[in-house]
Amino acid sequence: MKVDWSPLKHELGEWRAAGLTLPLWWRDDDAVAPTESLARLESLSATSGVPVHMAVIPRDATRSLADDLSDQFIPVVHGWAHVNNQTEGKKAEFGMGRDAHAARLDLQQSMARMRDLFGARLAPMFVPPWNRFDAALLPTLAEFGIDALSTYLPRQTATPIAGVTQINTHIDPIFWRGTRGLVPPDDLVAQTVALLQARRTGMQDNAEPLGYLTHHLVHDADIWEFSQQFMQEMCDGPVRLYRHDTKGFS
């Protein structure tokens, strides 16, 4: 696949000239068991040097996933069962209007299951399925020791509640509402450049790590190839890699 990366290279050059550094992180969703796709993701992560925050579905996660998940991955919590609890509107498991008691029980068992599987390896970040979350449940996250919430698009506030930081993703290569293949590469490059320009000019918060969001179980060849090139191009720029565990930035 031939991608015109020149607009991104130019923008990263502007960052160097300004003495700026871009915080970067990677999140992948929906893991429950070891698969060939997961092994391929691990290889891509190792080659690029960028660790993957693996959003694991607690209810369905297997012991073999916990046993086989290498240090290339940082396990985080992906809802409870990844089911839609909305009676109308857009899908969400922990969306607006859900019964607070039922949501609390799901969050409690999510953390219990993930701690049982991953122990001290677990990074206390919550990733709500479909990237939708009722802000009224934020105190419950903090109660259960979750210190970060990750959805999609630039965050509106760094700390939506005391003790919980918002760390979103911003670039998704999958054309979910169309072919479910790769978004046109030129569009992805333009989107990335626009995000970087907004940060460089102070219009968006550059303290928030820029997040690349993947779903290894549904990747086709083009998505794999674009992701490999994307990480290579980004890591050639003035970036520092973020990991939501004790290591922080590297």
Side-chain angles (χ1 to χ4, degrees), residues 126-143:
F126 190 77
V127 177
W130 296 286
N131 292 300
R132 300 186 182 104
F133 188 77
D134 186 351
L137 295 172
L138 284 166
T140 307
L141 292 187
E143 177 186 350

Side-chain angles (χ1 to χ4, degrees), residues 14-148:
E14 295 291 324
W15 280 65
R16 289 192 191 88
L20 296 173
T21 302
L22 175 71
L24 178 70
W25 77 299
W26 187 353
R27 194 188 98 202
D28 186 277
D29 290 0
D30 300 344
V32 295
T35 62
E36 290 184 4
S37 294
L38 187 62
R40 184 168 183 177
L41 183 66
E42 178 184 8
S43 178
L44 178 54
S45 173
T47 300
S48 67
V50 184
V52 176
H53 294 72
M54 178 52 63
V56 176
I57 303 172
R59 186 195 68 179
D60 301 329
T62 62
R63 180 66 59 179
S64 59
L65 174 69
D67 292 342
D68 292 354
L69 207 64
S70 76
D71 290 340
Q72 205 62 44
F73 296 103
I74 302 162
V76 300
V77 186
H78 195 25
W80 164 239
H82 207 302
V83 297
N84 178 28
N85 289 317
Q86 298 297 104
T87 57
E88 58 183 18
K90 294 181 178 180
K91 292 180 179 180
E93 185 172 25
F94 294 88
M96 296 287 291
R98 187 181 176 198
D99 178 77
H101 179 67
R104 187 180 189 281
L105 289 177
D106 279 358
L107 288 168
Q108 186 175 32
Q109 61 186 349
S110 291
M111 290 304 293
R113 175 64 174 160
M114 291 292 283
R115 284 172 175 147
D116 176 61
L117 286 171
F118 296 102
R121 290 189 59 194
L122 178 66
M125 170 185 282
F126 190 77
V127 177
W130 296 286
N131 292 300
R132 300 186 182 104
F133 188 77
D134 186 351
L137 295 172
L138 284 166
T140 307
L141 292 187
E143 177 186 350
F144 292 135
I146 298 168
D147 66 8

Side-chain angles (χ1 to χ4, degrees), residues 181-208:
L182 180 67
V183 172
D186 288 350
D187 291 351
L188 288 168
V189 172
Q191 177 192 0
T192 305
V193 169
L195 287 166
L196 266 58
Q197 288 175 338
R199 287 166 174 252
R200 178 169 56 84
T201 58
M203 296 176 63
Q204 289 181 7
D205 181 9
N206 191 45
E208 179 184 22

